Amino acid sequence: MTDTLLPNGIEDSGGDGKHFRKGCNPLAQTGRSKLQKQRASLNQQIIKQMRMRAGAENLLKATNNNKVKEMVVLELSYVNSNLQLLMGQLEGLNSSVDVYQSAEETTNIPLIALGLKETKEVDFSAPFKDFILEHYNEDGRTFEEEIADLMDLRQACRTPSRNETGVELLAKYYSHLPLIENRFFSPTRQTGIFFTWYDSFTGVPVCQQNLSLEKASMVFNMAALYSQIGTRSDRQTIVGLQEAISSFQRAAGMLSHLKATFTHIPSYDMSPAMVSMLIQLMIAQAQECLFEKIALPGVQNQFTSLIKMAQEAAKVSEIYDQVHQLMVQTPIKDNVPLFWSTMSQVKTNHYRAMAHHFLASALLDHELGPNDDEDQQEKTLSQVYDQLPEGCSPLGILKNKDERERIGKAHIRRAISGHEEALRNYSLCQHLEKLEALQEILKASHRRSLDKYSDYDNEEEFVDYIEAPDIISKTDHKAEMELPAATKVKVTDFFQRLGPLSVFSAKQKWTAPRKIQVCADDRDLGFTLKGEAPVQVVSLDPLSRAATDGLKEGDYIVAVGDKDTKWMGVSDMMRLLKDVDEEGIEIQVVSVIDNSPPMPTKSATFSGNLPKTYSMICLAHNDEDKSSKTRKVIKKSSFLSWGLKNKMKSASTLSLPTDDHSGALSWNKPIPTFPNSSAYNNDNFLH
């Protein structure tokens, strides 16, 4: 299966596909798109089974009827079996690496790509229109086009193309999210919008009302898309290998950004432990491509070149071994496909065996000649070993032919053993057995080491078999994380007509626009202006016509006549008002409403149909309980605690200072577990 377009039975008007957003083609019937559709279908089936399981478990707790309990237990076993089957199918999709490989890929070991996280559609229309009307006092229907553009952009991000244009599409939406958050997501009220994303490994859904999950999922999908670009690259060319190296390094950079920025996302595929493992996997694959880039022109049959390749191969093996150790740790091993951990183990043994083969070739095929630099070769060989067998030295191995051959044959035996172990690991995973190209590469490498050993094996000769020492890994081209520039895409705010975001945001509360008649008295309007956009009224003459009409210091001018002035600076505003005569002109102003300390809102996360609620109010309530228990320890009530116990009945009663300057919150006043609806219906607050 390749990423080429297949017939889909849908005619494209004009045949150019321009009716799709750039970087997206939802009608593309590629192997990768089919895989994503299967993933989405499995996610829906998994959430259905999880809901059934949650319902059955609740019924089991609620009923006392033994017959009903037996039926529920039977139903639970059936549902759990279905879930295991669905999880197995999802693991199979995550093991389908052949879909992501290059169409020209025939002689390289397959690489692992991350699958895109799936999400549900989100309708911003009604919540945003309501918020614009209630909070910004504007007709939300006039913003239907902007809301539709935002929804189209999000929908396009569900089917990005597998290239840089697709990454830019995701980055564009990601850059819009902070703007949307500041415009519409108030800290004192919920929008009623739920963002649902599915775990890419388990299919378990996670739902949140804030944008943290949305942002983190976009970053994860950008990393996944970079990994897919890397696996698709043609690794038979230098250009293709460079593209693969850059893509995997960028994938690692995006994952590192995810780990550093979003630390409490309740989706396991984005947990710190899992992301750390994925970062190491991307680095390992980038290092593997760097090794292939060095080897692509051919390895020179020289002592120094072979030693260098041995250490480069050892470096790849070392990083894959680190990846494998992370994958077998609990709880990562319970969520990562067996294919992934087995593949990392295969590559660990394969590249370690290659390292021993290169070093064996350097020792067996090259003798120290009179024209060779003895000091340089000794220095090179001494940097390969951390510890040599007893009685051996680098110079002794180089000068003594028998010793050189003895150590060389020990390395070739370790190479053979490593290749055999890689083949054994390969045979233990059913998903790996589908990769015939991988099997051919492993067998060819094994045969090459056997042939090398047979060239120097003398059955009549008695050989003192020794264990070849480990090879120190070293590389001149270390793979490193790279944060792509695509994360810093500049975008134009969809809702810039609402005014400058620094002023007109969801955090600020505004009065409704007031109409003020402004007249000039001897070319004096009775006030001065300051600020950029929008301008603010200062130094108001209390006897002026504008002050009499209701203008206040600190008001923002949002319109002059029929002209919107939210984006006008002082100079433009003065030019607009300089021709005002005695008849005057009508302006519209708004005032900022003082924000009193809001009651913490309840934030709930739904994972697998089971709510996990975190509330600052609950924390405050627990602290209150703790302080109450502390007070009970005191045997004799002090004068201060007596005053608190009597709830400040007398004005002369002393009380401890609190952070509540209003004096409305007493220590003995019960704190509600959930925000009172009156907090959101207060007439003094205009949302």
mmCIF file of all heavy atoms in Angstrom, residues 21-47:
data_model
loop_
_atom_site.group_PDB
_atom_site.id
_atom_site.type_symbol
_atom_site.label_atom_id
_atom_site.label_comp_id
_atom_site.label_asym_id
_atom_site.label_seq_id
_atom_site.Cartn_x
_atom_site.Cartn_y
_atom_site.Cartn_z
ATOM 1 N N ARG A 21 -9.179 23.041 1.336
ATOM 2 C CA ARG A 21 -8.193 23.940 1.931
ATOM 3 C C ARG A 21 -6.787 23.428 1.651
ATOM 4 O O ARG A 21 -6.535 22.232 1.640
ATOM 5 C CB ARG A 21 -8.428 24.040 3.439
ATOM 6 C CG ARG A 21 -7.578 25.065 4.134
ATOM 7 C CD ARG A 21 -7.916 25.148 5.606
ATOM 8 N NE ARG A 21 -9.216 25.759 5.813
ATOM 9 C CZ ARG A 21 -9.408 27.073 5.931
ATOM 10 N NH1 ARG A 21 -8.379 27.894 5.851
ATOM 11 N NH2 ARG A 21 -10.606 27.564 6.136
ATOM 12 N N LYS A 22 -5.860 24.339 1.413
ATOM 13 C CA LYS A 22 -4.490 23.968 1.106
ATOM 14 C C LYS A 22 -3.899 23.128 2.231
ATOM 15 O O LYS A 22 -3.984 23.485 3.399
ATOM 16 C CB LYS A 22 -3.646 25.226 0.893
ATOM 17 C CG LYS A 22 -2.214 24.938 0.451
ATOM 18 C CD LYS A 22 -1.460 26.236 0.251
ATOM 19 C CE LYS A 22 -0.024 25.953 -0.171
ATOM 20 N NZ LYS A 22 0.758 27.203 -0.337
ATOM 21 N N GLY A 23 -3.279 21.997 1.868
ATOM 22 C CA GLY A 23 -2.695 21.099 2.854
ATOM 23 C C GLY A 23 -3.628 20.016 3.316
ATOM 24 O O GLY A 23 -3.285 19.243 4.205
ATOM 25 N N CYS A 24 -4.828 19.932 2.688
ATOM 26 C CA CYS A 24 -5.816 18.952 3.123
ATOM 27 C C CYS A 24 -6.551 18.419 1.914
ATOM 28 O O CYS A 24 -6.870 19.163 0.980
ATOM 29 C CB CYS A 24 -6.797 19.608 4.095
ATOM 30 S SG CYS A 24 -8.363 18.740 4.261
ATOM 31 N N ASN A 25 -6.812 17.116 1.899
ATOM 32 C CA ASN A 25 -7.632 16.498 0.858
ATOM 33 C C ASN A 25 -8.420 15.359 1.479
ATOM 34 O O ASN A 25 -7.953 14.225 1.544
ATOM 35 C CB ASN A 25 -6.765 15.987 -0.302
ATOM 36 C CG ASN A 25 -7.616 15.503 -1.475
ATOM 37 O OD1 ASN A 25 -8.850 15.556 -1.423
ATOM 38 N ND2 ASN A 25 -6.967 15.040 -2.526
ATOM 39 N N PRO A 26 -9.630 15.645 1.971
ATOM 40 C CA PRO A 26 -10.396 14.613 2.676
ATOM 41 C C PRO A 26 -10.878 13.484 1.783
ATOM 42 O O PRO A 26 -11.273 12.433 2.289
ATOM 43 C CB PRO A 26 -11.578 15.405 3.252
ATOM 44 C CG PRO A 26 -11.710 16.601 2.380
ATOM 45 C CD PRO A 26 -10.318 16.941 1.943
ATOM 46 N N LEU A 27 -10.846 13.676 0.452
ATOM 47 C CA LEU A 27 -11.326 12.629 -0.454
ATOM 48 C C LEU A 27 -10.207 11.721 -0.949
ATOM 49 O O LEU A 27 -10.455 10.813 -1.736
ATOM 50 C CB LEU A 27 -12.029 13.267 -1.663
ATOM 51 C CG LEU A 27 -13.249 14.135 -1.333
ATOM 52 C CD1 LEU A 27 -13.885 14.661 -2.617
ATOM 53 C CD2 LEU A 27 -14.258 13.364 -0.518
ATOM 54 N N ALA A 28 -8.974 11.973 -0.503
ATOM 55 C CA ALA A 28 -7.846 11.147 -0.937
ATOM 56 C C ALA A 28 -7.982 9.736 -0.377
ATOM 57 O O ALA A 28 -8.024 9.542 0.832
ATOM 58 C CB ALA A 28 -6.527 11.770 -0.491
ATOM 59 N N GLN A 29 -8.065 8.754 -1.273
ATOM 60 C CA GLN A 29 -8.197 7.357 -0.848
ATOM 61 C C GLN A 29 -6.814 6.705 -0.862
ATOM 62 O O GLN A 29 -6.485 5.916 -1.733
ATOM 63 C CB GLN A 29 -9.163 6.618 -1.788
ATOM 64 C CG GLN A 29 -10.578 7.155 -1.745
ATOM 65 C CD GLN A 29 -11.217 6.943 -0.382
ATOM 66 O OE1 GLN A 29 -11.200 5.836 0.155
ATOM 67 N NE2 GLN A 29 -11.781 7.991 0.183
ATOM 68 N N THR A 30 -5.984 7.087 0.097
ATOM 69 C CA THR A 30 -4.640 6.527 0.194
ATOM 70 C C THR A 30 -4.619 5.435 1.257
ATOM 71 O O THR A 30 -5.554 5.289 2.046
ATOM 72 C CB THR A 30 -3.630 7.626 0.576
ATOM 73 O OG1 THR A 30 -3.958 8.086 1.883
ATOM 74 C CG2 THR A 30 -3.687 8.785 -0.397
ATOM 75 N N GLY A 31 -3.523 4.683 1.263
ATOM 76 C CA GLY A 31 -3.380 3.657 2.282
ATOM 77 C C GLY A 31 -3.386 4.250 3.665
ATOM 78 O O GLY A 31 -3.987 3.712 4.599
ATOM 79 N N ARG A 32 -2.748 5.425 3.811
ATOM 80 C CA ARG A 32 -2.690 6.079 5.116
ATOM 81 C C ARG A 32 -4.055 6.604 5.534
ATOM 82 O O ARG A 32 -4.455 6.494 6.689
ATOM 83 C CB ARG A 32 -1.684 7.229 5.071
ATOM 84 C CG ARG A 32 -1.451 7.920 6.395
ATOM 85 C CD ARG A 32 -0.395 8.989 6.248
ATOM 86 N NE ARG A 32 -0.838 10.017 5.346
ATOM 87 C CZ ARG A 32 -1.430 11.140 5.744
ATOM 88 N NH1 ARG A 32 -1.629 11.357 7.019
ATOM 89 N NH2 ARG A 32 -1.799 12.053 4.877
ATOM 90 N N SER A 33 -4.805 7.198 4.566
ATOM 91 C CA SER A 33 -6.122 7.728 4.905
ATOM 92 C C SER A 33 -7.088 6.607 5.267
ATOM 93 O O SER A 33 -7.925 6.747 6.157
ATOM 94 C CB SER A 33 -6.677 8.552 3.740
ATOM 95 O OG SER A 33 -6.870 7.736 2.598
ATOM 96 N N LYS A 34 -6.975 5.469 4.573
ATOM 97 C CA LYS A 34 -7.822 4.320 4.911
ATOM 98 C C LYS A 34 -7.505 3.822 6.324
ATOM 99 O O LYS A 34 -8.401 3.431 7.079
ATOM 100 C CB LYS A 34 -7.613 3.199 3.896
ATOM 101 C CG LYS A 34 -8.226 3.485 2.531
ATOM 102 C CD LYS A 34 -8.028 2.308 1.592
ATOM 103 C CE LYS A 34 -8.701 2.545 0.248
ATOM 104 N NZ LYS A 34 -8.511 1.402 -0.684
ATOM 105 N N LEU A 35 -6.209 3.870 6.663
ATOM 106 C CA LEU A 35 -5.809 3.437 8.004
ATOM 107 C C LEU A 35 -6.407 4.363 9.061
ATOM 108 O O LEU A 35 -6.882 3.907 10.103
ATOM 109 C CB LEU A 35 -4.280 3.445 8.104
ATOM 110 C CG LEU A 35 -3.649 2.559 9.183
ATOM 111 C CD1 LEU A 35 -3.895 1.100 8.887
ATOM 112 C CD2 LEU A 35 -2.151 2.825 9.265
ATOM 113 N N GLN A 36 -6.407 5.676 8.787
ATOM 114 C CA GLN A 36 -6.979 6.627 9.731
ATOM 115 C C GLN A 36 -8.489 6.429 9.878
ATOM 116 O O GLN A 36 -9.048 6.566 10.966
ATOM 117 C CB GLN A 36 -6.682 8.060 9.291
ATOM 118 C CG GLN A 36 -5.245 8.519 9.546
ATOM 119 C CD GLN A 36 -4.881 8.500 11.009
ATOM 120 O OE1 GLN A 36 -3.858 7.945 11.404
ATOM 121 N NE2 GLN A 36 -5.698 9.097 11.848
ATOM 122 N N LYS A 37 -9.171 6.087 8.775
ATOM 123 C CA LYS A 37 -10.608 5.845 8.846
ATOM 124 C C LYS A 37 -10.902 4.598 9.682
ATOM 125 O O LYS A 37 -11.866 4.567 10.449
ATOM 126 C CB LYS A 37 -11.180 5.696 7.437
ATOM 127 C CG LYS A 37 -11.213 7.005 6.658
ATOM 128 C CD LYS A 37 -11.742 6.808 5.242
ATOM 129 C CE LYS A 37 -11.745 8.132 4.484
ATOM 130 N NZ LYS A 37 -12.210 7.960 3.085
ATOM 131 N N GLN A 38 -10.066 3.578 9.516
ATOM 132 C CA GLN A 38 -10.232 2.382 10.350
ATOM 133 C C GLN A 38 -9.997 2.721 11.822
ATOM 134 O O GLN A 38 -10.694 2.230 12.710
ATOM 135 C CB GLN A 38 -9.251 1.296 9.908
ATOM 136 C CG GLN A 38 -9.522 0.739 8.524
ATOM 137 C CD GLN A 38 -8.475 -0.281 8.114
ATOM 138 O OE1 GLN A 38 -7.982 -1.050 8.924
ATOM 139 N NE2 GLN A 38 -8.120 -0.285 6.840
ATOM 140 N N ARG A 39 -9.012 3.592 12.077
ATOM 141 C CA ARG A 39 -8.720 4.004 13.447
ATOM 142 C C ARG A 39 -9.923 4.749 14.042
ATOM 143 O O ARG A 39 -10.311 4.512 15.187
ATOM 144 C CB ARG A 39 -7.472 4.895 13.466
ATOM 145 C CG ARG A 39 -6.990 5.264 14.862
ATOM 146 C CD ARG A 39 -5.901 6.327 14.766
ATOM 147 N NE ARG A 39 -4.770 5.856 13.998
ATOM 148 C CZ ARG A 39 -3.770 5.144 14.498
ATOM 149 N NH1 ARG A 39 -3.765 4.839 15.778
ATOM 150 N NH2 ARG A 39 -2.772 4.767 13.738
ATOM 151 N N ALA A 40 -10.524 5.645 13.241
ATOM 152 C CA ALA A 40 -11.688 6.392 13.718
ATOM 153 C C ALA A 40 -12.851 5.460 14.010
ATOM 154 O O ALA A 40 -13.566 5.621 15.011
ATOM 155 C CB ALA A 40 -12.093 7.439 12.675
ATOM 156 N N SER A 41 -13.068 4.459 13.141
ATOM 157 C CA SER A 41 -14.152 3.497 13.352
ATOM 158 C C SER A 41 -13.922 2.681 14.623
ATOM 159 O O SER A 41 -14.850 2.459 15.414
ATOM 160 C CB SER A 41 -14.265 2.566 12.141
ATOM 161 O OG SER A 41 -15.242 1.575 12.351
ATOM 162 N N LEU A 42 -12.680 2.245 14.834
ATOM 163 C CA LEU A 42 -12.364 1.491 16.048
ATOM 164 C C LEU A 42 -12.557 2.344 17.299
ATOM 165 O O LEU A 42 -13.033 1.858 18.327
ATOM 166 C CB LEU A 42 -10.926 0.966 15.984
ATOM 167 C CG LEU A 42 -10.676 -0.260 15.108
ATOM 168 C CD1 LEU A 42 -9.187 -0.572 15.048
ATOM 169 C CD2 LEU A 42 -11.435 -1.470 15.651
ATOM 170 N N ASN A 43 -12.197 3.622 17.214
ATOM 171 C CA ASN A 43 -12.376 4.508 18.361
ATOM 172 C C ASN A 43 -13.848 4.613 18.755
ATOM 173 O O ASN A 43 -14.195 4.617 19.942
ATOM 174 C CB ASN A 43 -11.826 5.898 18.045
ATOM 175 C CG ASN A 43 -10.306 5.924 18.003
ATOM 176 O OD1 ASN A 43 -9.651 5.087 18.612
ATOM 177 N ND2 ASN A 43 -9.741 6.876 17.282
ATOM 178 N N GLN A 44 -14.719 4.701 17.746
ATOM 179 C CA GLN A 44 -16.153 4.781 18.038
ATOM 180 C C GLN A 44 -16.659 3.490 18.687
ATOM 181 O O GLN A 44 -17.472 3.521 19.614
ATOM 182 C CB GLN A 44 -16.925 5.055 16.737
ATOM 183 C CG GLN A 44 -16.677 6.429 16.141
ATOM 184 C CD GLN A 44 -17.114 7.546 17.071
ATOM 185 O OE1 GLN A 44 -18.120 7.428 17.776
ATOM 186 N NE2 GLN A 44 -16.363 8.632 17.087
ATOM 187 N N GLN A 45 -16.175 2.362 18.208
ATOM 188 C CA GLN A 45 -16.592 1.087 18.795
ATOM 189 C C GLN A 45 -16.069 0.938 20.225
ATOM 190 O O GLN A 45 -16.764 0.412 21.103
ATOM 191 C CB GLN A 45 -16.086 -0.070 17.934
ATOM 192 C CG GLN A 45 -16.688 -0.117 16.543
ATOM 193 C CD GLN A 45 -16.130 -1.258 15.723
ATOM 194 O OE1 GLN A 45 -16.213 -2.414 16.121
ATOM 195 N NE2 GLN A 45 -15.550 -0.932 14.571
ATOM 196 N N ILE A 46 -14.847 1.419 20.465
ATOM 197 C CA ILE A 46 -14.264 1.325 21.800
ATOM 198 C C ILE A 46 -15.056 2.168 22.795
ATOM 199 O O ILE A 46 -15.367 1.711 23.909
ATOM 200 C CB ILE A 46 -12.780 1.745 21.775
ATOM 201 C CG1 ILE A 46 -11.936 0.663 21.077
ATOM 202 C CG2 ILE A 46 -12.253 1.985 23.183
ATOM 203 C CD1 ILE A 46 -10.493 1.068 20.846
ATOM 204 N N ILE A 47 -15.409 3.395 22.405
ATOM 205 C CA ILE A 47 -16.154 4.249 23.333
ATOM 206 C C ILE A 47 -17.540 3.677 23.597
ATOM 207 O O ILE A 47 -18.075 3.765 24.710
ATOM 208 C CB ILE A 47 -16.249 5.702 22.804
ATOM 209 C CG1 ILE A 47 -16.801 6.606 23.905
ATOM 210 C CG2 ILE A 47 -17.109 5.792 21.569
ATOM 211 C CD1 ILE A 47 -16.784 8.078 23.534
#
